């Protein structure tokens, strides 16, 4: 028996109830974001390799060379970076502006057909439910993608996901992902009618580059281990939140 005046030891059920109360209180205290910006590839959808096949087709058609973007670029880079770095690697020189323009056009032309027949195209777990929940909460939804605008829209079309997003910022706006993120935040601020603070904007992506761009643009990073990076690898770049997939509760909602 405890001494008089000493609290009784807490039982396991009591500890579990206390932990739940703390979690619920934190969830309640966490303010909902004003805007949430989503990456596309491996965050919302898996294209089944449609992008890589379309880049390869474009390089073969225009220059007669085999090109594998996966050998020369990293996940999360913008389309201008992907095109330029791959061109330099497979052709041994810098491209001209005209060459890049033709490459973009060929890539987009092929992507529009390829993605409709891509056998392994799929919407990732929890995406539609999460987007619906965020929209119903009165939060502004935007696309934040390293893809060119035409490619980004094409990747959303098979699943009709474009209907969720009010606006977007893309790799065609800037080759620098951090700058694309700043542009997206500026658009969200104009829609909202006032400047947005760090806690007001969540940037959701599946790569370390998404997290780094969010922080560079003064936003809150939500990393999702739905692509090529594990939760542990994403945690190493210190996002504010890490989710295993979008089936998990979304922070702030």
């Amino acid at each position: 028996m405890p001494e008089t005046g000493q609290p009784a030891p807490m039982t396991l059920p009591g500890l579990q109830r206390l932990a739940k109360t703390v979690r619920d209180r934190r969830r309640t205290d966490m303010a909902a974001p004003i805007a949430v910006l989503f990456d596309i590839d491996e965050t919302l959808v898996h294209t089944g390799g449609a992008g890589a096949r379309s880049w390869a087709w474009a390089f073969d058609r225009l220059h007669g060379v085999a090109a594998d973007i996966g050998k020369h670029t990293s996940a999360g880079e913008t389309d201008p970076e992907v095109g330029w770095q791959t061109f330099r690697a497979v052709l041994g020189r810098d491209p001209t502006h005209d060459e890049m323009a033709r490459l973009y056009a060929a890539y987009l032309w092929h992507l529009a057909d390829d993605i409709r027949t891509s056998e392994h195209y799929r919407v990732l777990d929890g995406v539609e439910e999460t987007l619906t929940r965020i929209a119903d909460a009165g939060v502004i939804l935007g696309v934040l993608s390293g893809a060119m605008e035409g490619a980004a829209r094409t990747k959303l079309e098979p699943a009709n996901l474009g209907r969720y997003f009010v606006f977007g910022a893309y790799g065609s706006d800037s080759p620098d992902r951090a700058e694309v993120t700043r542009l997206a935040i500026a658009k969200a601020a104009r829609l909202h009618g006032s400047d947005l603070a760090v806690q007001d904007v969540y940037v959701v992506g599946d790569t370390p580059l998404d997290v780094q761009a969010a922080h560079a643009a003064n936003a809150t990073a939500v990393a999702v281990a739905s692509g090529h990076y594990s939760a542990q690898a994403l945690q190493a770049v210190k996002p504010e939140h890490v989710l295993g997939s979008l089936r998990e509760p979304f922070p702030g909602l």
Side-chain angles (χ1 to χ4, degrees), residues 52-238:
R53 288 191 297 272
S54 297
W55 280 115
W57 183 87
F59 274 100
D60 181 60
R61 180 178 182 274
L62 295 174
H63 301 284
V65 296
D68 181 353
I69 61 169
K71 292 182 178 179
H72 311 296
T73 59
S74 301
E77 292 184 340
T78 62
D79 275 354
E81 290 177 306
V82 168
W84 190 89
Q85 290 183 36
T86 304
F87 189 106
R88 197 171 191 281
V90 299
L91 290 167
R93 61 178 177 83
D94 291 346
T96 65
H97 294 299
D98 289 351
E99 286 173 324
M100 287 306 299
R102 285 191 287 269
L103 189 66
Y104 294 151
Y107 163 67
L108 290 171
W109 182 271
H110 189 272
L111 181 66
D113 289 331
D114 187 290
I115 205 159
R116 294 170 196 232
T117 58
S118 181
E119 182 179 356
H120 298 292
Y121 178 98
R122 63 187 176 91
V123 179
L124 297 178
D125 291 345
V127 164
E128 294 191 77
E129 296 84 354
T130 296
L131 294 178
T132 299
R133 192 178 310 119
I134 293 172
D136 287 348
V139 176
I140 301 168
L141 276 168
V143 168
L144 171 55
S145 176
M148 292 177 285
E149 182 172 355
R153 292 181 179 276
T154 296
K155 290 175 181 181
L156 295 174
E157 279 179 8
N160 203 21
L161 291 180
R163 58 185 171 177
Y164 287 100
F165 298 101
V166 179
F167 71 97
Y170 309 93
S172 45
D173 294 319
S174 172
D176 184 299
R177 196 172 189 102
E179 179 60 21
V180 176
T181 306
R182 293 186 190 97
L183 291 170
I185 293 171
K187 290 183 178 183
R190 284 197 293 272
L191 282 167
H192 180 61
S194 64
D195 291 342
L196 300 176
V198 174
Q199 69 273 14
D200 296 331
V201 182
Y202 286 9
V203 171
V204 187
D206 66 291
T207 74
L209 288 178
D210 295 311
V211 175
Q212 292 162 1
H215 289 163
N218 206 32
T220 297
V222 180
V224 186
S226 52
H228 303 296
Y229 293 90
S230 67
Q232 184 178 9
L234 292 168
Q235 190 66 63
V237 291
K238 298 183 174 19

Side-chain angles (χ1 to χ4, degrees), residues 23 25 29 31 38 43 46 66 88 121 126 144 168 175 187 193 232-233:
R23 287 196 302 270
R25 185 174 299 156
D29 292 343
F38 278 89
T43 301
H46 173 68
R88 197 171 191 281
Y121 178 98
L144 171 55
K187 290 183 178 183
Q232 184 178 9

